[in-house]
Amino acid sequence: MPWLCFGQAAMSDFPLTAGPCPSPWGEPVAQARLKASPEDFVVEEVLGFEPNGEGEHLWLWVEKRGLNTDAVARELAAQLGISAALVSFSGLKDRQALTRQWFSIHTPASWAAGDAWLTKDAGEYRVLRALRGARKLRRGVHDANRFSITLRDVRGDQAAIESRLQLLADEGVANYFGPQRFGHGSRNIGQGLALLASRRAGRARRRDNRENLWMSAIRSALFNQVLAERVRNKSWSSCLPGDVLQLDGRSALFTPDLLDAEIAPRLVRGEVHPTGPLPGDGSSVITAEALALEQGILAPWQSICEDLAALRIPAQRRALRLKLRDPRWSWLDSDTLVIEFALTAGAFATSVLQSLAVLEEGQLDAISAE
């Protein structure tokens, strides 16, 4: 069965949940165990550029395990004796994993890179490279994340598993937001809905980073609802009249000319993708059949969409389909499978794994890299 993430009751008769999130490729073909150790889930940030070696910002390439990104940022600030507000990073990486990513720090201080692990709480980290840069590292600027995932105790027909992996490599997967976006038990959705209810009752307050996370969870859940329906009606990878398309791996959107003979082949090749909504403030960029479909799906939560718009959160679009970059896999033995692939920034490895295998209960919640 596809993973399910249940949220708390919404401000309508229809609870807003993060799932179910059906796979276009049917039921998983295997069962497996993930994260026997942090080294079973390796994530490496692909920035797409490097600092130029000069400037007022110290850039650190950090390897960590047993720590989340925020904890490392605070620890680096403490080591340098500066405010944590001066430490920046592009994406959040999981605590229960071995991860490598960049941090930038606005400081004249230096740092000698090395192989020694430094301990912090129940985890550890080490700085592998240290460079200077002219600018701070901003959120979401990295190009991709590279994953190496080891599945153990794999049960299932190996030929069927190989066939499913090839299908995912060739055709991609539905680009759902993963359960970690919604917090344990989807509490981020519940907190966000409570905040919207409070604002509607006139108890407004300035949003902080935690509340921004809750609003993001609500928008992500609404997107998942639209994507799930387009998977069910088999339009998740095709262009409906009035759709807006997105270039693969890019933020650029465009309205296609359905009479353009090149659109269909580009969709087949995965160069462009149909998009779904991240509701907020702004007029709709889709029309016709695509607009009618989205309005119908989101009708039970129209008041929530209106609240998001009232908060002046800009409406955005997200690709419905996710392509794997440079996918490969190998069997270490008859029941141990290593899968490697890169995903664009903001995509979730759960979108790949849920189309392949049923993992031991609770493990999908722990997979995180943005």
Side-chain angles (χ1 to χ4, degrees), residues 17 98 143 194:
T17 73
L98 180 68
D143 179 61

Side-chain angles (χ1 to χ4, degrees), residues 147-225:
F147 296 86
S148 179
I149 300 172
T150 301
L151 299 180
R152 301 186 185 275
D153 300 332
V154 179
R155 287 91 72 194
D157 179 73
Q158 186 165 326
I161 294 171
E162 294 272 357
S163 177
R164 179 60 60 87
L165 284 168
Q166 191 60 57
L167 179 63
L168 303 182
D170 292 341
E171 303 294 338
V173 298
N175 193 20
Y176 292 114
F177 285 96
Q180 62 271 30
R181 170 57 60 91
F182 307 104
H184 182 68
S186 287
R187 62 176 173 232
N188 290 344
I189 296 177
Q191 294 280 15
L193 295 175
L195 178 63
L196 291 181
S198 176
R199 289 181 174 275
R200 180 174 290 180
R203 297 186 294 273
R205 63 183 185 184
R206 187 174 183 178
R207 294 203 315 275
D208 57 24
N209 289 336
R210 182 182 56 179
E211 292 170 355
N212 289 336
L213 176 65
W214 298 342
M215 295 301 100
S216 177
I218 289 176
R219 299 172 80 211
S220 300
L222 293 169
F223 173 89
N224 277 7
Q225 295 290 337

Side-chain angles (χ1 to χ4, degrees), residues 99 161 284:
T99 72
I161 294 171
S284 176

Side-chain angles (χ1 to χ4, degrees), residues 37-216:
S37 70
E39 286 74 13
D40 283 353
F41 193 78
V42 179
V43 185
E44 183 165 304
E45 188 174 81
V46 181
L47 199 56
F49 62 93
E50 282 198 358
N52 60 12
E54 299 179 355
E56 60 188 29
H57 296 269
L58 175 64
W59 285 56
L60 302 178
W61 178 240
V62 177
E63 185 175 50
K64 65 178 184 65
R65 56 188 175 199
L67 294 168
N68 63 32
T69 299
D70 282 323
V72 172
R74 293 192 299 270
E75 173 63 10
L76 294 175
Q79 290 280 350
L80 293 169
I82 61 174
S83 168
L86 298 176
V87 182
S88 303
F89 50 84
S90 182
L92 296 170
K93 305 294 183 287
D94 189 24
R95 179 171 65 90
Q96 298 301 336
L98 180 68
T99 72
R100 290 180 284 272
Q101 69 178 118
W102 283 101
F103 292 81
S104 76
I105 307 168
H106 193 191
T107 176
S110 61
W111 192 300
D115 293 329
W117 287 92
L118 302 173
T119 58
K120 170 64 177 175
D121 299 328
E124 53 188 357
Y125 70 98
R126 57 182 176 178
V127 176
L128 302 179
R129 298 180 65 192
L131 299 172
R132 304 299 303 190
R135 298 181 179 181
K136 69 179 288 186
L137 181 58
R138 299 190 180 279
R139 290 296 297 269
V141 300
H142 61 294
D143 179 61
N145 290 299
R146 180 79 193 171
F147 296 86
S148 179
I149 300 172
T150 301
L151 299 180
R152 301 186 185 275
D153 300 332
V154 179
R155 287 91 72 194
D157 179 73
Q158 186 165 326
I161 294 171
E162 294 272 357
S163 177
R164 179 60 60 87
L165 284 168
Q166 191 60 57
L167 179 63
L168 303 182
D170 292 341
E171 303 294 338
V173 298
N175 193 20
Y176 292 114
F177 285 96
Q180 62 271 30
R181 170 57 60 91
F182 307 104
H184 182 68
S186 287
R187 62 176 173 232
N188 290 344
I189 296 177
Q191 294 280 15
L193 295 175
L195 178 63
L196 291 181
S198 176
R199 289 181 174 275
R200 180 174 290 180
R203 297 186 294 273
R205 63 183 185 184
R206 187 174 183 178
R207 294 203 315 275
D208 57 24
N209 289 336
R210 182 182 56 179
E211 292 170 355
N212 289 336
L213 176 65
W214 298 342
M215 295 301 100
S216 177

